[in-house]
Amino acid sequence: MSKRKQEGCRDLRQCFASKKKRRKEKEAQYMASGDSLVCLAYSYRLGHTTDRNSVHMVCAAIEKTMMERFLPRPTQEIWEEVAQGFWEKWNFPNCLGAIDGKHVTIQAPALSGSQYFNYKKIFSIVLLALVDSNYRFRVIQVGDFGRTSDGGVYAGSALGRGMENKTLHVPPSTSLPGAALLGDVPHVMVGDAAFPLKPYLMRPYPGHHLTHNKRIFNYRISRAKMVVENIFGILSSWWKILHRRINLHPQNVDTLVLAACILHNFLLSPRANVRLLEEAEQQGRNLPAVRNMGGNRASREACNVREIFYTFNSPQGSVSWQDRMV
């Protein structure tokens, strides 16, 4: 190959590399700044369609290449690691994670009727997330209609069906600290009153006139669940596109939100975990009372599991400040 051809090939590779780099920069700027695609196209002097396609391509590439490493399917070892973290950092034993839903605001899709119109009077899709004690996403589902409740999204999710059918490699039941005489207790997720009470999903007792033991339980479960509430705030502060109404097709919004969650896990460092834990510890001193969300036809088994967590009042299961919080 002649010297001129070699230089031509090198220039061509540099051109492709430069375009690829610019595409990644546009995606990062779009998600982090919250600027519209029109503003982004002007800043890079590109066509609006070209700019939109670049964002879609990068989000899809993040999902394809990083999903397996930074948001893998949980195994029994991963569940055990999560449970250990919740006991050490949030004093909640046998916990598989904190679960909650977040509404991502979108432009009303054409001919969608009221499917995406939620109780907040906005159009949205739902991000359902199960989070560990270190502010990392462990299981997520994106794309359900905004009108669907958190409990409804969970019931139709792969997580909900997998927990019900016992196909998610959850560790076997084990006794709680200080409660060996009560027998083995299943590992559970923690959520708010919007979720159903299940043997593997704990929610607080509703109402205000509660016994001391129930108030202790509500405080402890709300303290553990605060992780998922905090992570939604962190996600939105990093990716400011989540603060605005996203003017994309809902399918592309799903990919964008999924990419944001993957990048969140990628960027979160152990040092950040320590800082976030300290901030959350201060916020957890004054937790609001649990709202009464109406009836919940829970099984007797689920109620029995929740009652066993009364060991939060035992010397082995209590924390020194819990009586001051209730």
Side-chain angles (χ1 to χ4, degrees):
M1 183 181 294
S2 65
K3 184 176 180 180
R4 181 177 297 178
K5 287 184 178 181
Q6 290 178 350
E7 292 176 351
C9 291
R10 183 169 60 252
D11 292 341
L12 189 61
R13 287 194 297 268
Q14 291 175 351
C15 179
F16 283 133
S18 177
K19 288 183 177 180
K20 187 175 182 180
K21 181 179 179 181
R22 290 175 65 191
R23 188 179 294 132
K24 292 179 178 178
E25 289 175 350
K26 284 185 290 183
E27 162 66 7
Q29 183 176 341
Y30 175 65
M31 295 178 64
S33 68
D35 291 338
S36 68
L37 286 171
V38 175
C39 293
L40 200 61
Y42 275 118
S43 66
Y44 282 90
R45 289 175 172 79
L46 294 173
H48 180 58
T49 301
T50 302
D51 187 68
R52 181 186 294 269
N53 290 338
S54 296
V55 170
H56 298 167
M57 290 171 61
V58 173
C59 286
I62 291 173
E63 178 182 354
K64 181 179 179 180
T65 61
M66 301 177 67
M67 180 82 168
E68 186 63 28
R69 180 177 177 186
F70 295 101
L71 196 57
R73 183 180 177 85
T75 62
Q76 180 171 335
E77 291 74 20
I78 291 177
W79 289 130
E80 291 173 348
E81 177 186 347
V82 172
Q84 184 65 24
F86 267 97
W87 174 239
E88 293 177 352
K89 295 184 177 181
W90 297 104
N91 311 109
F92 203 103
N94 289 25
C95 184
L96 300 175
I99 188 171
D100 203 359
K102 172 181 173 60
H103 286 273
V104 178
T105 308
I106 63 173
Q107 184 72 31
L111 305 177
S112 63
S114 61
Q115 288 180 319
Y116 294 93
F117 194 67
N118 64 31
Y119 70 98
K120 298 180 179 180
K121 311 302 181 184
I122 58 175
F123 291 87
S124 67
I125 62 169
V126 180
L127 164 63
L128 181 73
L130 182 69
V131 179
D132 70 12
S133 63
N134 292 318
Y135 297 93
R136 294 182 183 274
F137 292 102
R138 289 299 183 177
V139 180
I140 64 173
Q141 175 166 303
V142 191
D144 285 87
F145 296 131
R147 66 180 298 179
T148 311
S149 66
D150 288 349
V153 173
Y154 168 78
S157 67
L159 175 63
R161 296 193 304 269
M163 292 297 293
E164 185 70 24
N165 299 327
K166 301 180 180 180
T167 59
L168 296 183
H169 309 291
V170 174
S173 302
T174 183
S175 62
L176 299 179
L181 295 177
L182 298 178
D184 293 338
V185 179
H187 287 75
V188 300
M189 301 175 290
V190 294
D192 59 23
F195 292 90
L197 179 64
K198 300 283 187 179
Y200 48 81
L201 176 55
M202 294 290 101
R203 76 174 200 168
Y205 291 97
H208 299 277
H209 304 291
L210 303 175
T211 64
H212 179 76
N213 285 352
K214 289 182 177 180
R215 293 199 303 270
I216 290 293
F217 176 84
N218 281 3
Y219 166 71
R220 295 289 292 274
I221 197 173
S222 298
R223 182 172 178 267
K225 182 189 170 293
M226 192 166 50
V227 180
V228 69
E229 298 172 357
N230 290 344
I231 201 173
F232 288 149
I234 297 165
L235 189 72
S236 298
S237 66
W238 281 0
W239 312 116
K240 293 183 173 55
I241 187 62
L242 299 179
H243 282 301
R244 63 178 294 132
R245 185 170 54 190
I246 304 176
N247 188 15
L248 296 174
H249 188 278
Q251 183 176 354
N252 293 325
V253 178
D254 297 349
T255 307
L256 184 147
V257 174
L258 179 57
C261 294
I262 293 172
L263 291 176
H264 170 94
N265 284 359
F266 169 73
L267 293 172
L268 199 62
S269 64
R271 181 176 299 179
N273 288 339
V274 174
R275 177 178 57 82
L276 294 171
L277 181 64
E278 293 174 349
E279 293 176 356
E281 185 67 36
Q282 296 302 319
Q283 297 172 6
R285 298 301 183 180
N286 295 303
L287 296 174
V290 178
R291 297 177 295 142
N292 191 338
M293 298 292 291
N296 176 46
R297 296 186 296 273
S299 66
R300 172 48 53 186
E301 180 186 5
C303 294
N304 289 340
V305 171
R306 185 164 62 176
E307 289 173 1
I308 293 177
F309 277 93
Y310 275 6
T311 54
F312 287 150
N313 291 279
S314 70
Q316 295 86 350
S318 65
V319 291
S320 59
W321 62 86
Q322 66 183 27
D323 289 305
R324 300 196 302 271
M325 299 300 106
V326 297

